[in-house]
Amino acid sequence: MKSSLDGMAPNWRQRLTLPRGMRDAINGVDFNRFRFWLQIFFFVLLVYGGFTGLNLGNNLPTFSCGYNQNGRPGVCYLLPLQHQLAMPTKALLGYASLTILSGLFIFFLWFIVLNKGWCGFVCPLGTVQDWITDLRVKMGARFTRYSQASFETLSWIKYVLLALMIVIPLGIGAGYFSHDLGAPYCMICPARLIIPTLALNFDQLVLDFSSPGKIVMTTLGAITTGLFLAGSFVKKRFWCFFCPMSAFHYLLSKPAFFRLIKDGDKCTRCGDCYTVCDLQIKEIADDVKNPQIMMDDCIVCLKCVAACPEQGALKATFAGRTVFESTEEGFIKRMEKGTRA
Amino acid sequence: MNGPFNSGKPVVPEPSPQSAGASPRARKPKEPLPFGKTKQAREAEKVLNHIVDDFDDNPKAMDYFYDLFRRVYCRGETIAPDGPLIGTTCIQAPEELIYAMGATPVRLCNGSYHYDQIGAEFMPSKSCSLVKATLGMLTSDDPVPRVGKLDLVVNPTTCDQKKKASAMMQDMGHAVFDLELPNVKESEASRVYWQRSVRSFAEEIRKVTGKKLTRKNLKAALARTQRAEKAFRVLDGFRKASPSIFLGKDAFLVVNAYFFDNLDNWCEAVERLNDELKIRYDNAVRAAQKKAPRIVFTGSPPIFPNLKLPLLIERAGGVVVSDETCSANRMLYDMTAVDEWLVNDMVDSLADKYLKPCTCPIFTKNDDRRRRLLELVKKFEADGIVYQAFAGCQVYEMEQRSVAKTLDENGIPMLYVETDYSPDDEGQLSTRIEAFLESIKTRKRMRQ
């Protein structure tokens, strides 16, 4: 079972004569279908899990939306984080810092297990975007791409949102802003409107006219949700590109267990991975120096691994062990299925 | 009105008063030679006999290819195309689009010394044999392989010589489409530019065949080339075996057949060959000596009948285990990945496949080519590299330095050979190759 794991040339003799082991089965899997079902599983868990009384805590590194009060099995960390940061500055420097640090720590523990795999496999808002994409494909419409220049500019938005998401609550605590701007990211997050709605809770589908701040924030929320629906119809994983959670993840991703690794020597730069990448990440094809190929926009959906025809050029590892890697056979099987369908 | 233009009236020869057979002394009109006696047929036959007869124990399944070349090159048989016939002058013309719209591609790159000489009139004296031979073939009345009447020639704008050949082909009366290929392949702008080029190519084919590109016919075409690529990859895998079970001269012949053979017949024949190689592998049948130096071939492409260099290597006891040339590996190795099986996405994915992994020296940078060579040496456990540059192929000549440097840094010996289609330098080359292989063997012994 060690054949091509340790950077040696894959042993051809073993590959041909070994009985098809479990590894071959995993690497040859119809990956898109596997992922589709796994996403459904997590979607049901994170949108409806709360109805069974499940509680995973308030520090989840994915959009298990807190506004979905009955359906959620736990809360997306961004909501409590913004609330905590909006505490009076004095409190923040005192006892509340412990609350924040312990919350961050639990968030971190959850996060390092799956790394940004939380985005590619677990996030219900991501899954919704994939379904909208499926719908578009069914209708035979093509997707759009950003030009390279737009990509590079727009790529900063998630960091700006992350910064605002921290600065505004701090400003509230310090008394600069009104409490009406509380949880500012949540107010503009499409998940706040979409996830509760999918759990048949329509409370968020309102424009709140109780104060100027609320009017602005709920209107912005309605606009972003409209953008989200239209955007993800024409652009794959439209929102992920702007998601501050994605930026937050990336900043913490160094010690994560789950990783996307590239062996540049084996890469022919054929661009197959780039062709299938929902987030248009060029480095996945072009960078042959850096083995840690998970870029900040990456959602670790592993579509690139499934679409790589070079033995072992791309792989997903967990704590250093390969769990899924690109193989010639697996690639051919998946693409044959595509041309047959 | 006796201007120079009027006086230059062509002289129409008077009809000969002698009717046929009237005088036995009259010069007989020159009868065309029977095909098998023509220069190009004899040239092909000589090489083919060498490939078949001078090596022991050729795989049985190779008979299909030996026979194919004999029929097409030596006897002048035509492979009937399905629908219009579209000639391509480089590997960058996406053949899936041609198949999808009901036409058949044929690769025009030619390897014949005879045509090289004929084509010499089109190009400066120090030009690439391949381009000259291709022009020579296209200008002949009786070309080999018998490609028949071409409905369109697709000329990807690769090297300067091929670019300039475009107008010449047009002057010969061919309809030529210049498929615009960028000179830089790394940038996103070039990718987008190329994808547009490929789309306009699809438009052009539609004008020829009158058929529309649909999701269904494109998918079917992708499935057909996918089968070929898969068969090629399996074959390629068998060449990793050490000691070798399959010789490079046969591998080149197999992929050269892909230029003009019926796609489905070709796939079947390669699959049969793969089955036989599997048995050979299981029974540890050897095609070369255990210690035969394993060579990766790179540079200007060997195209039948110009398999001079690979044949010299294998006659001298080496084995060509892999190659980085556009007449073999580069043509069939890379495979297309599609995310959404819609026409647009399939066309873009195809465009990517024809641009991004391409290691053609016409691009500005050659990092990919150098990395590829290192990887091939590792993957095929090769001992050295033979680098062929056709005299006049400037881009390959210019890359020699950087490739040599990379290989040197990695301790891989390389033999750089500048040659052309002429058989004159065979003696000299064989001495150099023998010496190179000998030095590899010595190195290996020293290491043990």
Side-chain angles (χ1 to χ4, degrees), chain A residues 7 9 12-13 15-17 32 133 136-137 140-143 145 148 236 264-272 274-276 278 280 282 285-286 288 303 307 309-310 328 331-332 335-336 338-339 341, chain B residues 186-188 191-192 195 199 215 219 222-223 226 230 233-234 237-238 240-242 278 281-282 333-342 344-345 348-349 352-353 356-357 367-368 371-372 375 378-379:
Chain A
W12 179 78
R13 188 179 286 266
R15 255 177 62 203
L16 259 193
T17 52
N32 287 346
T133 295
R136 171 179 56 73
V137 174
R142 70 174 312 190
F143 59 85
R145 292 192 298 235
Q148 190 65 21
K236 294 187 268 187
D265 290 347
K266 292 177 179 157
C267 174
T268 63
R269 294 220 271 199
C270 69
D272 281 357
Y274 178 40
T275 301
V276 303
D278 288 351
Q280 242 187 291
K282 197 161 185 284
D286 287 1
V288 288
K303 274 170 78 178
E310 300 307 318
E328 194 173 285
F331 173 87
I332 291 172
M335 290 306 146
E336 276 179 341
T339 48
Chain B
E186 284 82 6
S187 77
E188 188 63 14
R191 178 180 180 236
V192 173
Q195 287 177 342
R199 270 178 239 148
R215 194 172 161 182
K219 246 198 219 182
L222 271 162
Q226 203 173 53
K230 181 182 172 184
R233 281 215 179 205
V234 175
F238 283 115
K240 285 182 209 156
S242 180
K278 172 86 172 72
Y281 178 76
D282 292 341
Y333 182 78
D334 296 302
M335 302 185 77
T336 319
V338 179
D339 187 28
E340 296 175 0
W341 296 86
L342 304 173
N344 279 308
D345 201 29
D348 284 352
S349 300
D352 278 356
K353 178 189 82 168
K356 292 193 69 90
D367 308 24
D368 284 347
R371 288 191 315 110
R372 181 109 186 95
E375 179 59 17
K378 204 163 117 189
K379 203 161 144 189

Side-chain angles (χ1 to χ4, degrees), chain A residues 90-339:
Chain A
K90 246 192 195 153
L92 267 189
L93 297 174
Y95 71 94
S97 60
L98 275 179
T99 321
I100 292 177
L101 286 176
S102 65
L104 191 62
F105 183 65
I106 297 168
F107 166 80
F108 179 71
L109 290 183
W110 277 111
F111 166 72
I112 55 169
V113 178
L114 281 185
N115 200 354
K116 291 182 94 179
W118 283 101
C119 309
F121 288 87
V122 185
C123 177
L125 198 67
T127 304
V128 168
Q129 291 175 81
D130 289 341
W131 291 341
I132 295 175
T133 295
D134 291 346
L135 178 72
R136 171 179 56 73
V137 174
K138 284 249 153 56
M139 292 167 66
R142 70 174 312 190
F143 59 85
T144 54
R145 292 192 298 235
Y146 298 123
S147 70
Q148 190 65 21
S150 320
F151 180 94
E152 276 154 24
T153 319
L154 295 174
S155 190
W156 284 100
I157 292 183
K158 58 183 169 299
Y159 292 106
V160 174
L161 289 180
L162 178 65
L164 287 176
M165 189 195 94
I166 292 167
V167 171
I168 295 176
L170 287 176
I172 295 170
Y176 295 114
F177 303 124
S178 140
H179 270 278
D180 295 343
L181 300 183
Y185 175 68
C186 292
M187 293 312 287
I188 64 158
C189 179
R192 180 179 62 88
L193 277 80
I194 289 169
I195 303 293
T197 307
L198 290 170
L200 302 180
N201 171 352
F202 306 107
D203 294 352
Q204 298 298 320
L205 303 182
V206 288
L207 292 182
D208 188 341
F209 282 93
S210 58
S211 76
K214 290 232 157 111
I215 294 175
V216 170
M217 294 316 276
T218 51
T219 308
L220 278 178
I223 292 171
T224 51
T225 306
L227 276 178
F228 170 87
L229 292 172
S232 28
F233 191 77
V234 292
K235 178 90 182 65
K236 294 187 268 187
R237 288 280 183 152
F238 170 80
W239 192 256
C240 302
F241 198 52
F242 308 114
C243 178
M245 180 71 101
S246 167
F248 201 8
H249 279 178
Y250 184 66
L251 298 176
L252 299 174
S253 64
K254 271 262 153 59
F257 294 134
F258 194 55
R259 279 163 195 241
L260 180 61
I261 305 287
K262 176 167 175 177
D263 183 342
D265 290 347
K266 292 177 179 157
C267 174
T268 63
R269 294 220 271 199
C270 69
D272 281 357
C273 48
Y274 178 40
T275 301
V276 303
C277 179
D278 288 351
L279 272 292
Q280 242 187 291
I281 297 167
K282 197 161 185 284
E283 285 85 350
I284 187 72
D286 287 1
D287 189 342
V288 288
K289 301 242 161 69
N290 183 9
Q292 303 291 338
I293 202 65
M294 192 192 83
M295 309 308 288
D296 58 351
D297 293 305
C298 181
I299 54 171
V300 196
C301 63
L302 305 185
K303 274 170 78 178
C304 50
V305 181
C308 173
E310 300 307 318
Q311 196 77 30
L314 283 174
K315 55 180 131 187
T317 63
F318 191 85
R321 289 178 163 266
T322 305
V323 286
F324 178 52
E325 74 176 333
S326 57
T327 60
E328 194 173 285
E329 292 87 349
F331 173 87
I332 291 172
K333 243 172 97 178
R334 287 184 278 266
M335 290 306 146
E336 276 179 341
K337 190 173 171 286
T339 48

Side-chain angles (χ1 to χ4, degrees), chain B residues 368-418:
Chain B
D368 284 347
R369 178 161 176 236
R370 285 179 286 148
R371 288 191 315 110
R372 181 109 186 95
L373 285 173
L374 294 179
E375 179 59 17
L376 286 177
V377 166
K378 204 163 117 189
K379 203 161 144 189
F380 290 85
E381 293 166 25
D383 305 305
I385 285 185
V386 172
Y387 186 142
Q388 163 169 274
F390 289 150
C393 174
Q394 275 212 322
V395 277
Y396 270 125
E397 289 168 341
M398 286 187 286
E399 283 200 357
Q400 192 250 118
R401 203 180 128 84
S402 60
V403 170
K405 184 165 171 271
T406 304
L407 295 180
D408 188 45
E409 282 163 5
N410 288 275
I412 301 163
M414 177 182 103
L415 177 68
Y416 175 72
V417 179
E418 196 184 300

Side-chain angles (χ1 to χ4, degrees), chain B residues 225-447:
Chain B
T225 54
Q226 203 173 53
R227 182 181 171 201
E229 287 156 356
K230 181 182 172 184
F232 174 81
R233 281 215 179 205
V234 175
L235 182 67
D236 199 44
F238 283 115
R239 296 174 74 187
K240 285 182 209 156
S242 180
S244 290
I245 59 168
F246 188 56
L247 291 180
K249 51 120 190 165
D250 285 336
F252 276 119
L253 209 60
V254 168
V255 281
N256 279 185
Y258 188 82
F259 285 27
F260 56 88
D261 196 12
N262 172 288
L263 180 57
D264 301 319
N265 292 348
W266 185 89
C267 290
E268 262 167 49
V270 178
E271 283 160 8
R272 268 198 307 277
L273 177 62
N274 287 337
D275 292 342
E276 186 178 341
L277 291 179
K278 172 86 172 72
I279 295 168
R280 280 189 160 214
Y281 178 76
D282 292 341
N283 297 332
V285 176
R286 277 195 234 141
Q289 286 191 336
K290 208 173 164 188
K291 288 189 177 144
R294 298 166 67 84
I295 301 297
V296 170
F297 195 96
T298 184
S300 304
I303 295 169
F304 183 83
N306 176 48
L307 298 183
K308 183 166 73 178
L309 212 45
L311 281 166
L312 283 174
I313 295 168
E314 298 197 330
R315 280 312 287 167
V319 192
V320 176
V321 287
S322 183
D323 70 273
E324 186 278 312
T325 67
C326 60
S327 61
N329 208 313
R330 209 191 292 157
M331 178 170 69
L332 280 161
Y333 182 78
D334 296 302
M335 302 185 77
T336 319
V338 179
D339 187 28
E340 296 175 0
W341 296 86
L342 304 173
V343 176
N344 279 308
D345 201 29
M346 279 190 270
V347 174
D348 284 352
S349 300
L350 274 171
D352 278 356
K353 178 189 82 168
Y354 283 93
L355 177 73
K356 292 193 69 90
C358 187
T359 46
C360 182
I362 61 117
F363 294 112
T364 46
K365 287 187 189 144
N366 73 347
D367 308 24
D368 284 347
R369 178 161 176 236
R370 285 179 286 148
R371 288 191 315 110
R372 181 109 186 95
L373 285 173
L374 294 179
E375 179 59 17
L376 286 177
V377 166
K378 204 163 117 189
K379 203 161 144 189
F380 290 85
E381 293 166 25
D383 305 305
I385 285 185
V386 172
Y387 186 142
Q388 163 169 274
F390 289 150
C393 174
Q394 275 212 322
V395 277
Y396 270 125
E397 289 168 341
M398 286 187 286
E399 283 200 357
Q400 192 250 118
R401 203 180 128 84
S402 60
V403 170
K405 184 165 171 271
T406 304
L407 295 180
D408 188 45
E409 282 163 5
N410 288 275
I412 301 163
M414 177 182 103
L415 177 68
Y416 175 72
V417 179
E418 196 184 300
T419 180
D420 54 24
Y421 286 3
S422 128
D424 298 347
D425 58 357
E426 260 182 46
Q428 181 243 102
L429 287 182
S430 101
T431 313
R432 284 181 65 195
I433 285 167
E434 276 164 25
F436 180 62
L437 297 181
E438 206 47 54
S439 76
I440 287 178
K441 281 189 200 157
T442 315
R443 263 171 72 112
K444 273 175 118 172
R445 265 199 304 272
M446 302 275 274
R447 238 183 260 158

Side-chain angles (χ1 to χ4, degrees), chain B residues 70-85:
Chain B
R70 221 173 274 288
R71 283 192 292 125
V72 173
Y73 273 82
C74 308
R75 294 206 289 270
E77 285 178 29
T78 315
I79 305 281
D82 299 324
L85 190 63

Side-chain angles (χ1 to χ4, degrees), chain A residues 33-55:
Chain A
R33 200 174 61 180
F34 164 76
R35 180 162 163 257
F36 176 80
W37 287 106
L38 194 60
Q39 281 181 297
I40 288 190
F41 167 77
F42 281 119
F43 182 85
V44 172
L45 184 75
L46 291 189
V47 179
Y48 308 107
F51 293 118
T52 63
L54 185 68
N55 188 357

